[in-house]
Amino acid sequence: MQPAVSMASRLGHRLQAFTSALGRSISYSQDRLHQTPLYDFHLAHGGKMVTFAGWSLPVQHRDSHIDSHLHTRRHCSLFDVSHMLQTKIFGCDRVKLMESLVVGDIAELKPNQGTLSLFTNEAGGILDDLIVTNTSEGYLYVVSNAGCRDKDLALMQDKVSEFQKTGCDVGLEVVENALLALQGPTAAQVLQAGVADDLRNLPFMTSAGMEVFGVPGCRVTRCGYTGEDGVEISVPATRAVHLATALLENPEVKLAGLAARDSLRLEAGLCLYGNDINEHTTPVEGSLSWTLGKRRRVAMDFPGATVIIPQLKGKPQRKRVGLMCEGAPVRTHSPILSMEGAVIGTVTSGCPSPCLKKNVAMGYVPHEYSKPGTQLLVEVRRKQQAAVVSKMPFVPTNYYTLK
């Protein structure tokens, strides 16, 4: 096991390299940025603000990146994810519309049940990943990535207009709420103190409207981006500070930022759009075949189906895999090599794992190199280091499901 000081130093370098890890969308310039309703709240709590996808968001607060990461795994943390695009799709033809854009079986969703799905193009590429919830209030609640906000909104609005011109009953509304993610093993215990609903009846990927710590009009969804149990709370923007303050009164809860969110999601084997999946990646290549609804596979009625379905039956040329790596931390764009030294792929995300005290990464390799246990090499600073293909998640997930 590595000494704690060594691991802390390496994870400190991870924070310094955070701009590179999340791509060009993050920087320290604060000019002409969108601000979430919690912007001043973050500053008051020591938030170190950076630019991410056109928004000013905290990369960390007073606690270090490592401490925030481990606190989330052991207790719970509060993340501001208000930059995410929230929309409502309503009307009698809302399911038909959504299924014309995504690969999932939206029609099979029960009231207040949600699913991770993918917008795809006709070439089979992933335009974005999103969560679609079939609310009991008669609309679909959709949450998608801030970095894809403009193209996602245009995609949905254009499809709504197309459907309306043919006489379909469908509409779209952007939800201007804040979005707070409470993540960690004690998240439900903390939230239960502020809601009347019994959260034991709200399993993973289900959702309900409720009053939260005195704030009416909230939607609580049992999901997250850390691999832990937790919720995302859509809250009226004017009450976001009140809710965040109420949650932080519990000593179990600490604020966390983008740095911890990124290392947590990587330990959980979750993709970051723009790094690990993009318009040139199919769901099969991205190891996301499970998002393809069974009925949709048979009907082949989603964008890119003629490309994606044959990949299910055959072998894609490349596949997203997890990697455990020796030596220096592996970064985005690091080459992946065969044992003979030939470049066979590229790392798409990588960092030292605070929980495992090992370097973890994910990237794309040819199908014949994708079997867990396959020995490979990665190149870091022009030096070759040992790597082994590993199953994901690297750290076991703790989603809450009904027994």
Side-chain angles (χ1 to χ4, degrees), residues 55-71:
W55 291 77
S56 182
L57 294 168
V59 69
Q60 67 178 80
H61 294 83
R62 294 190 179 105
D63 290 331
S64 71
H65 168 202
I66 309 170
D67 288 343
S68 288
H69 180 112
L70 295 175
H71 184 84

Side-chain angles (χ1 to χ4, degrees), residues 58-350:
V59 69
Q60 67 178 80
H61 294 83
R62 294 190 179 105
D63 290 331
S64 71
H65 168 202
I66 309 170
D67 288 343
S68 288
H69 180 112
L70 295 175
H71 184 84
T72 308
R73 290 275 183 247
R74 297 165 181 167
H75 304 278
C76 69
S77 296
L78 183 64
F79 299 82
D80 181 8
V81 292
S82 303
H83 58 300
M84 304 286 278
L85 174 63
Q86 302 177 70
T87 53
K88 292 181 180 180
I89 307 293
F90 51 87
C92 296
D93 297 307
R94 61 189 180 277
V95 171
K96 180 181 177 183
L97 178 134
M98 187 54 58
E99 288 196 346
S100 73
L101 297 172
V102 303
V103 301
D105 191 341
I106 308 304
E108 77 168 358
L109 293 176
K110 299 175 182 177
N112 290 324
Q113 183 183 14
T115 186
L116 177 73
S117 197
L118 307 170
F119 288 133
T120 48
N121 59 28
E122 292 300 334
I126 300 170
L127 297 172
D128 198 9
D129 56 316
L130 63 153
I131 292 179
V132 183
T133 300
N134 176 30
T135 74
S136 58
E137 292 85 358
Y139 62 86
L140 299 177
Y141 171 57
V142 180
V143 179
S144 56
N145 287 303
C148 299
R149 181 186 181 94
D150 291 345
K151 74 173 182 180
D152 287 356
L153 199 51
L155 180 71
M156 291 186 285
Q157 287 174 332
D158 288 349
K159 188 61 70 171
V160 166
S161 296
E162 178 185 320
F163 269 51
Q164 289 175 340
K165 288 176 182 177
T166 63
C168 290
D169 177 25
V170 69
L172 179 149
E173 173 188 332
V174 175
V175 180
E176 300 294 352
N177 283 2
L179 191 63
L180 306 183
L182 187 66
Q183 299 286 300
T186 61
Q189 169 194 323
V190 169
L191 186 62
Q192 189 63 75
V195 300
D197 300 58
D198 188 346
L199 296 178
R200 291 175 297 182
N201 298 324
L202 192 75
F204 182 59
M205 293 307 291
T206 62
S207 179
M210 63 183 75
E211 181 175 301
V212 183
F213 284 97
V215 180
C218 295
R219 172 160 290 280
V220 176
T221 305
R222 198 85 174 242
C223 67
Y225 194 48
T226 63
E228 294 295 334
D229 185 21
V231 296
E232 291 185 355
I233 308 168
S234 180
V235 54
T238 57
R239 304 302 303 279
V241 171
H242 168 88
L243 179 55
T245 302
L247 290 168
L248 283 175
E249 287 179 358
N250 191 314
E252 282 290 309
V253 184
K254 290 188 176 184
L255 287 169
L258 291 170
R261 192 166 184 252
D262 190 51
S263 53
L264 287 160
R265 69 91 190 169
L266 183 49
E267 284 187 342
L270 301 175
C271 294
L272 173 65
Y273 189 84
N275 277 40
D276 308 304
I277 51 175
N278 57 38
E279 295 184 16
H280 305 291
T281 309
T282 70
V284 181
E285 292 172 336
S287 299
L288 295 169
S289 300
W290 60 271
T291 63
L292 306 172
K294 292 181 180 179
R295 173 177 60 83
R296 309 299 306 280
R297 298 183 190 200
V298 174
M300 293 184 65
D301 59 352
F302 55 85
T306 56
V307 175
I308 295 168
I309 296 304
Q311 288 185 347
L312 281 174
K313 299 174 181 178
K315 293 180 180 179
Q317 290 187 342
R318 60 181 188 144
K319 187 177 180 183
R320 179 175 64 94
V321 298
L323 297 168
M324 287 273 199
C325 310
E326 301 292 335
V330 182
R331 305 299 184 196
T332 303
H333 306 308
S334 294
I336 303 172
L337 300 85
S338 68
M339 294 302 290
E340 292 72 37
V343 176
I344 59 170
T346 306
V347 170
T348 55
S349 291

